[in-house]
Amino acid sequence: SKVKVAINGYGTIGKRVADAVTMQDDMEIIGIAKTRPNYEAFVAHDKGYNVYTLADRVDDMKKAGIPAAGSVEDMAAEADIVVDCTPGGVGEKNKALYEKAGVKAIWQGGEDHELAGCSFNAEANYAEALGRDFVRVVSCNTTGLCRVIYPLDQEYGVKKVRVTLMRRSADPNDIKTGPINAIIPNPIKLPSHHGPDVKSIMPHINITSTAVKLSTTLMHVHTLNMELEKDCTSEDVKDLFAKQSRIRFIEQGISSTAEIMELAKDIGRPRGDMWENSVWKDSVTMYEGELYFFQGIHQESIVIPENVDAIRAMMELEKDGAKSIAKTNKAMGL
Ligand code: NAD
């Protein structure tokens, strides 16, 4: 029988994880939890997901026209594993609920590493999550960094990483966050925490980061500069990246994140998602012994395949990370 997965928090990440799990043959969605009966709750209901809600809101859901299947506690009791996709900082409060229900849980990058005690990236440390009760799938930025740093470290040894993160300031559906016309160094005190979060997965990596927020909703862009232990050429790095299933080369005249998002729609990706790192091929350059390149990170979707792999590792559906990655990719169409 399939592993029973529940989604707590059906927003940007939660709805995508639900659909990705549904595409797999070894796991299924037994319910999603939503706080309010808004359009997303109705779409979830129409898609056939059982819609759960907070214990004191079950009647509100019913009155609004969604025959709520029950409370989050009821949902947790039905599930083998809960993927917590509530807003950053909220997920922490649900830990006691999961412990009480005796259910495994995955949190997202908005929570601290310590909450789960294991941070996850499918390529870099799949085996660490095998059989674990609690795991945190790292943020979009950290996922994007791990996917390029890990193979480079394996092949050439990474001596030092410097990264500047140019971050989208809001998701496309977010009407409350800005700026709409400014660039914000954020945080101003340096270095930022973003790059070093990679150490929650690869503690030995020497990395510093700076970050700014831009007036856009279309992806983050990273400028990377790396010193490697072994000599290699730009072509060697391109060959290595070409072998990574979750890195896509951006070329053929694509010069912006807007066009990457258009490409994702053109190739028929659900919600226009780009699950892979988008590395501008022509930017990959060895210059005076150091590596430079640009990559785009689709914040709304890059962590979705990683959540599927984390479920597979924690439920021990597959012991071999490479096999899980291949299975997830095939089912999703990566
Ligand atoms: P979101 O605001 O889009 O969705 C969160 C959902 O949780 C909303 O539907 C909200 O109504 C619901 N919710 C709020 N409180 C709840 C509660 N107590 N119980 C159940 N549901 C509740 O947030 P998001 O962007 O999907 O982020 C979720 C997590 O994923 C955060 O940790 C975030 O840091 C992380 N993450 C976000 C992105 C991104 O770019 N959006 C990328 C990677 C990781």
Side-chain angles (χ1 to χ4, degrees):
S1 70
K2 295 182 183 183
V3 162
K4 295 182 170 64
V5 182
I7 306 291
N8 192 14
Y10 189 77
T12 303
I13 301 299
K15 60 176 120 172
R16 288 174 166 81
V17 175
D19 290 355
V21 166
T22 301
M23 289 172 174
Q24 314 298 317
D25 65 11
D26 51 354
M27 53 187 82
E28 63 183 336
I29 295 293
I30 58 100
I32 66 102
K34 191 82 197 87
T35 45
R36 287 169 299 126
N38 71 353
Y39 69 98
E40 290 166 312
F42 281 94
V43 171
H45 175 62
D46 290 344
K47 282 191 173 200
Y49 296 134
N50 293 322
V51 179
Y52 293 80
T53 191
L54 301 178
D56 58 357
R57 299 194 188 178
V58 176
D59 286 342
D60 295 347
M61 272 287 176
K62 283 185 180 156
K63 267 184 225 152
I66 295 176
S71 65
V72 175
E73 286 81 356
D74 295 335
M75 179 177 81
E78 292 287 319
D80 299 316
I81 184 164
V82 178
V83 186
D84 190 304
C85 304
T86 58
V90 175
E92 185 183 347
K93 302 188 183 96
N94 294 324
K95 187 172 189 178
L97 190 161
Y98 304 144
E99 282 173 332
K100 199 172 166 204
V103 70
K104 292 178 188 260
I106 295 175
W107 285 278
Q108 307 302 316
E111 307 300 328
D112 292 336
H113 167 79
E114 287 69 30
L115 179 64
C118 171
S119 291
F120 181 85
N121 172 261
E123 201 72 54
N125 72 338
Y126 183 92
E128 226 180 281
L130 281 173
R132 277 193 69 98
D133 288 337
F134 297 130
V135 164
R136 161 188 179 251
V137 170
V138 291
S139 72
C140 45
N141 281 308
T142 307
T143 298
L145 289 170
C146 286
R147 286 186 186 168
V148 290
I149 292 169
Y150 178 76
L152 281 166
D153 192 44
Q154 291 291 106
E155 195 75 19
Y156 300 111
V158 166
K159 199 193 290 181
K160 172 82 193 172
V161 183
R162 298 177 190 85
V163 56
T164 300
L165 300 98
M166 289 159 280
R167 301 170 61 208
R168 63 90 180 95
S169 54
D171 285 339
N173 68 348
D174 181 356
I175 57 171
K176 292 181 186 153
T177 316
I180 57 168
N181 186 19
I183 297 172
I184 309 178
N186 177 258
I188 290 174
K189 284 197 176 170
L190 295 175
S192 80
H193 68 277
H194 300 93
D197 192 37
V198 166
K199 288 171 179 283
S200 69
I201 291 179
M202 293 178 278
H204 68 284
I205 295 293
N206 182 358
I207 177 168
T208 57
S209 61
T210 67
V212 296
K213 280 197 199 178
L214 304 181
S215 307
T216 180
T217 64
L218 305 181
M219 309 180 69
H220 306 295
V221 169
H222 298 169
T223 305
L224 279 121
N225 163 224
M226 293 167 72
E227 293 173 41
L228 304 173
E229 299 285 353
K230 291 186 202 152
D231 283 347
C232 65
T233 65
S234 320
E235 288 312 309
D236 293 334
V237 175
K238 285 181 200 176
D239 289 346
L240 180 68
F241 284 173
K243 283 187 235 153
Q244 309 303 313
S245 65
R246 292 180 183 169
I247 294 177
R248 171 184 287 265
F249 278 136
I250 296 302
E251 46 193 335
Q252 300 169 336
I254 295 184
S255 53
S256 71
T257 58
E259 293 153 296
I260 297 173
M261 292 288 84
E262 187 70 6
L263 170 67
K265 292 182 213 168
D266 284 349
I267 61 177
R269 287 287 175 83
R271 297 188 173 88
D273 285 349
M274 187 57 87
W275 295 305
E276 306 95 323
N277 288 29
S278 300
V279 173
W280 271 276
K281 192 174 186 184
D282 288 344
S283 75
V284 177
T285 305
M286 288 298 297
Y287 181 76
E288 295 184 349
E290 296 185 16
L291 173 65
Y292 294 84
F293 62 94
F294 288 123
Q295 66 174 353
I297 301 296
H298 186 221
Q299 76 279 356
E300 297 168 279
S301 69
I302 186 170
V303 300
I304 306 309
E306 311 296 321
N307 272 273
V308 173
D309 293 320
I311 294 169
R312 212 170 267 126
M314 293 165 73
M315 298 305 303
E316 297 184 274
L317 292 168
E318 175 57 66
K319 300 260 186 200
D320 179 348
K323 284 188 186 157
S324 176
I325 290 170
K327 187 171 169 69
T328 304
N329 289 354
K330 187 165 182 231
M332 291 177 73
L334 252 98

